[in-house]
Amino acid sequence: MPLTARQVYRDYITDGIPSSGNHKPAKADVRTLLTGYEAVITAFTSNGGLVYTSRAVLFADLAHAPNSSAWVIGDATAAYNGVYMKAGASGSGSWTRVADLPYSFVQLTDAGAGTANAIQLTSTIPTSQSVLRVANVFEANAGNVTVSENGGPAKSLLTSSGGQIAAAGLTAGMMIVYVDDGAAFRLLSDQASAAIQAAAAASASAAAGSASAASASAAAAAASAAGVSLPAVAANRMLVDNAAGTTRESKTLSETMTILAGAVSGRTSTFSLDNSTLYKARSLKDRWLDSYRLNEELNFTGGGATATDAAVLQALFNRAKAAGRGEIILPRGDIALEATCLLKNPGATPNKIRVVGQGAGATRFLNTSAAQVMFWLGDDADADYTRGIACEGFSLAAAVAQNDSGSGFFLRHTSDLSFKDIFTDGLRNGWSFGVGGPAVNNSVYSHLSNCGGNSPGTSGVALIRLGSGGILTIDGGAHRWNANGGHIFMEHDNTSWNWDGLYVYDQFFEHFQKYLASTGKGIVNAEWTGGQVDRADIFFQIEASVPASGSNRDWNIHDVKLLGFSGQGGAIGVLASGTVESVRIAHNTFHGLHDACIYASTGGVFIEGNEMVQCADLGASAPLGGALIRLGQGRSRVLGNFGYRPGGAPGSAYRYGIQWDGATYSERSAANNVWYNFGASAETGTM
């Protein structure tokens, strides 16, 4: 490896320790160093001697052959000065710095521009870390010294062993030799001997004074310790100042944590690390890192009392959002909301916030007025969606009977919101998604998992309302979805915007008036599969109220049990009219209905592999009576279905398996259907 100037002119070493003496470089090392410089200079001059006053000027000149060399000398940024090599053909490519300028030493001048302790040096040749420096000293120093070269950053000037220069170690007119070690400048020449002697004498005096002071301090410490009385040492305990600040007491870790918890929350706390602590293994993190607890807020009341708990929860949510915390933990018991809580967190990548209770029924929010919206999520006024809020493990209950304006969760301008283990008890409207939204796709990507509801009364609005938006998924093991015949479970009634994307999986229902009604502009892309729907006036109603522009398209109702009992609901299975496109009704069981299992007055349906048994038609009194499947003129296919008519009442009034309405229509077809006990008139009308 080539030798550098720093190696050749290195410090003088005595017994492995740098000293202030002079190291005598070997002539062979000096010859090697200078030979390297000569080689660079020869290569440079043989190339035509390109010299530039700044790197910017060099970079602007690419009209040179590959491997051409050039010098940059005089750039205001010292690190840009050096030897550069050209890469790429003439007129293109780039210049790369390959070496420092080949100067073995640089002479600098102290003209007195700085101060005695902050020397400013200038040179006609730029310096680099590899050169030896020679400079004069304008005036004697009075303490620690820094040096700045050619307006560059100041570095400490140290002795060769790395110590600070003593006062008057540099004298006026003195010549110094030094190098750059990267972090500081190091002298190779000595500082003035008189200053060294004075510094040594001062150090000796200071040492003597320190010894005397140490002796006095030891005596004082012994006297002080004699008057100290501390509690006895015990395992897993800490010393804590008492409340009066007069003594220290021994506390267990649990007692200490209780004191700290009170200091953090601002109120007396019974927090401890015992087996009853929520999230015992994460108790410290819950408290100080990413969680807040609602019941630790100073003004929280709880117990269902009408006070200020909505305001307390609102303030806590806002604080969690601002602080970047991800969780609000709710206590057990009832929490009355005197006002609407607005939960919004707009942004493309917001801080996700989880509001979690102790379980549905264990933590309950109560409304306090009939028209109250309990939780409003999102805001149309925001530029971006509210995203990433999760509600989990609590109930909403109607302490005051709701009217049709009241709501549990009202979502506007939201995306990626989730609800898990949520139960609505006695609410007319539990969830509203984009209802009244001003534009298409107002509320998108929502998820209900393991949720449920109990709707004992009659209602003019559905338990779940769909407005403008799409992609709602309902799945998981529901607590229960219960009603008494006077309530629609889910309805899209927005006549301005359709709903795009509805997915309901394996849910179980009891006696709703309707389970899914599309009476607005229409639902596009819907799948309802698995589970059971028990008793209804109309199980699935597919009837857009705006025939000119509305459409229900690409539905798939499959593998569902539709159960009805005479006199207890269970009339029509699937009722469709208007613009209906590609609705598939497949592999379902229709059992005990007392009107048509499927009636599509305008067609648009594909009916395959369904089982229709023990249906007890009411005869002439049935609104659509007479057939298990009744189809109007429109594209329809009926394939591989099975229908059974009991031999006697109830059920004998059913006359047909399929009733084709109107004149012959070329896009209606039927095949491989079995209508047991219907005789020769199993199908009527013309296809």
Side-chain angles (χ1 to χ4, degrees):
M1 180 182 293
L3 295 174
T4 66
R6 184 182 301 172
Q7 292 172 308
V8 174
Y9 297 105
R10 59 187 176 273
D11 293 339
Y12 181 74
I13 305 297
T14 302
D15 295 329
I17 302 174
S19 174
S20 61
N22 294 322
H23 168 71
K24 297 180 179 179
K27 291 183 178 180
D29 290 346
V30 174
R31 285 195 295 271
T32 300
L33 177 66
L34 296 180
T35 299
Y37 289 161
E38 290 170 353
V40 173
I41 293 170
T42 299
F44 171 70
T45 56
S46 65
N47 184 56
L50 302 175
V51 179
Y52 297 83
T53 56
S54 72
R55 189 181 71 167
V57 175
L58 170 64
F59 281 8
D61 183 6
L62 299 176
H64 298 281
N67 300 320
S68 296
S69 63
W71 287 10
V72 173
I73 181 168
D75 197 298
T77 302
Y80 292 171
N81 294 303
V83 179
Y84 288 76
M85 184 174 71
K86 176 69 164 45
S90 178
S92 63
S94 62
W95 291 96
T96 303
R97 190 180 187 280
V98 295
D100 292 335
L101 292 172
Y103 295 106
S104 57
F105 70 90
V106 174
Q107 183 171 357
L108 298 103
T109 300
D110 179 3
T115 66
N117 295 335
I119 299 173
Q120 295 184 15
L121 300 177
T122 58
S123 65
T124 57
I125 299 173
T127 60
S128 66
Q129 196 172 342
S130 62
V131 301
L132 188 68
R133 282 108 161 132
V134 178
N136 69 302
V137 176
F138 184 77
E139 57 185 323
N141 71 306
N144 298 345
V145 179
T146 63
V147 170
S148 170
E149 297 179 341
N150 297 317
K155 294 184 180 181
S156 295
L157 180 63
L158 307 175
T159 66
S160 61
S161 58
Q164 294 289 347
I165 296 175
L170 302 180
T171 61
M174 183 177 183
M175 296 297 294
I176 57 173
V177 180
Y178 65 97
V179 293
D180 184 358
D181 71 359
F185 295 126
R186 296 284 194 98
L187 283 174
L188 298 182
S189 58
D190 206 349
Q191 56 179 316
S193 57
I196 298 173
Q197 292 171 358
S203 297
S205 176
S210 296
S212 176
S215 177
S217 296
S224 178
V228 174
S229 176
L230 294 175
V233 175
N236 298 319
R237 300 181 76 87
M238 300 180 70
L239 291 181
V240 180
D241 291 350
N242 68 356
T246 57
T247 187
R248 290 188 171 90
E249 301 172 342
S250 178
K251 298 286 187 182
T252 65
L253 294 178
S254 180
E255 291 170 335
T256 304
M257 291 302 299
T258 296
I259 295 171
L260 292 174
V264 170
S265 65
R267 61 184 289 176
T268 302
S269 172
T270 57
F271 174 76
S272 61
L273 296 175
D274 55 28
N275 288 332
S276 65
T277 301
L278 180 66
Y279 298 138
K280 176 184 176 186
R282 294 184 62 242
S283 55
L284 289 177
K285 185 177 181 185
D286 287 340
R287 184 164 302 277
W288 289 317
L289 294 182
D290 66 355
S291 297
Y292 286 118
R293 297 177 188 269
L294 178 62
N295 62 334
E296 291 178 352
E297 297 302 294
L298 286 174
N299 295 318
F300 177 73
T301 303
T306 302
T308 59
D309 286 349
V312 174
L313 177 57
Q314 182 72 68
L316 184 58
F317 178 87
N318 294 342
R319 196 161 83 245
K321 179 173 65 174
R325 297 205 178 189
E327 187 174 59
I328 295 174
I329 300 175
L330 307 171
R332 290 180 177 272
D334 289 345
I335 304 169
L337 299 176
E338 78 284 358
T340 297
C341 287
L342 174 59
L343 309 183
K344 68 172 190 172
N345 194 21
T349 56
N351 172 49
K352 295 183 178 181
I353 300 178
R354 175 174 175 252
V355 182
V356 57
Q358 308 305 301
T363 299
R364 293 199 317 165
F365 286 103
L366 309 179
N367 71 340
T368 54
S369 64
Q372 179 182 6
V373 174
M374 300 175 74
F375 291 94
W376 188 301
L377 293 89
D379 192 339
D380 290 324
D382 292 328
D384 206 341
Y385 286 116
T386 277
R387 306 173 189 268
I389 296 176
C391 296
E392 181 176 338
F394 57 84
S395 298
L396 305 183
V400 177
Q402 267 191 343
N403 60 30
D404 288 351
S405 298
S407 182
F409 299 101
F410 194 86
L411 284 73
R412 289 282 286 271
H413 202 39
T414 63
S415 179
D416 301 290
L417 268 58
S418 65
F419 303 86
K420 182 178 180 181
D421 296 320
I422 300 293
F423 188 78
T424 61
D425 190 6
L427 271 63
R428 294 191 181 195
N429 174 235
W431 287 266
S432 286
F433 296 93
V435 173
V440 67
N441 291 333
N442 184 264
S443 180
V444 295
Y445 298 108
S446 304
H447 185 195
L448 274 64
S449 178
N450 299 337
C451 294
N454 178 37
S455 309
T458 59
S459 173
V461 294
L463 183 63
I464 297 177
R465 295 184 66 190
L466 306 180
S468 166
I471 315 300
L472 170 62
T473 303
I474 303 176
D475 61 16
H479 296 274
R480 64 183 185 275
W481 298 104
N482 272 12
N484 66 354
H487 201 169
I488 297 174
F489 172 67
M490 187 187 308
E491 182 173 19
H492 175 256
D493 56 5
N494 189 314
T495 58
S496 298
W497 312 105
N498 72 304
W499 185 270
D500 188 355
L502 173 65
Y503 306 94
V504 181
Y505 302 113
D506 300 314
Q507 300 297 288
F508 293 84
F509 301 88
E510 182 78 22
H511 204 187
F512 279 83
Q513 182 185 22
K514 302 172 184 178
Y515 289 101
L516 177 58
S518 178
T519 58
K521 189 169 183 178
I523 296 176
V524 178
N525 300 318
E527 181 168 12
W528 190 302
T529 180
Q532 175 179 306
V533 286
D534 191 342
R535 291 176 290 174
D537 294 340
I538 302 172
F539 288 84
F540 297 94
Q541 182 178 1
I542 312 174
E543 294 186 304
S545 62
V546 280
S549 61
S551 173
N552 289 292
R553 184 173 69 250
D554 296 330
W555 287 39
N556 189 12
I557 303 170
H558 65 99
D559 299 290
V560 183
K561 291 183 180 295
L562 292 81
L563 307 180
F565 302 94
S566 179
Q568 300 183 48
I572 303 170
V574 179
L575 176 63
S577 66
T579 305
V580 176
E581 305 172 83
S582 301
V583 172
R584 179 174 179 265
I585 306 165
H587 306 292
N588 302 290
T589 297
F590 297 83
H591 194 133
L593 274 64
H594 56 262
D595 208 324
C597 294
I598 301 169
Y599 176 38
S601 64
T602 53
V605 294
F606 178 48
I607 304 169
E608 176 186 10
N610 298 283
E611 182 180 12
M612 305 170 186
V613 297
Q614 299 294 343
C615 293
D617 182 53
L618 298 180
S621 64
L624 310 175
L628 295 176
I629 300 173
R630 184 173 177 181
L631 300 174
Q633 287 190 309
R635 184 181 298 110
S636 301
R637 180 169 175 79
V638 186
L639 178 67
N641 298 280
F642 171 81
Y644 168 71
R645 186 183 74 167
S652 58
Y654 269 108
R655 295 184 295 277
Y656 313 115
I658 304 176
Q659 177 176 326
W660 304 97
D661 290 341
T664 301
Y665 189 74
S666 62
E667 295 185 4
R668 299 190 298 197
S669 64
N672 300 324
N673 298 289
V674 176
W675 308 115
Y676 183 74
N677 209 22
F678 281 86
S681 61
E683 298 184 17
T684 185
T686 57
M687 291 188 290

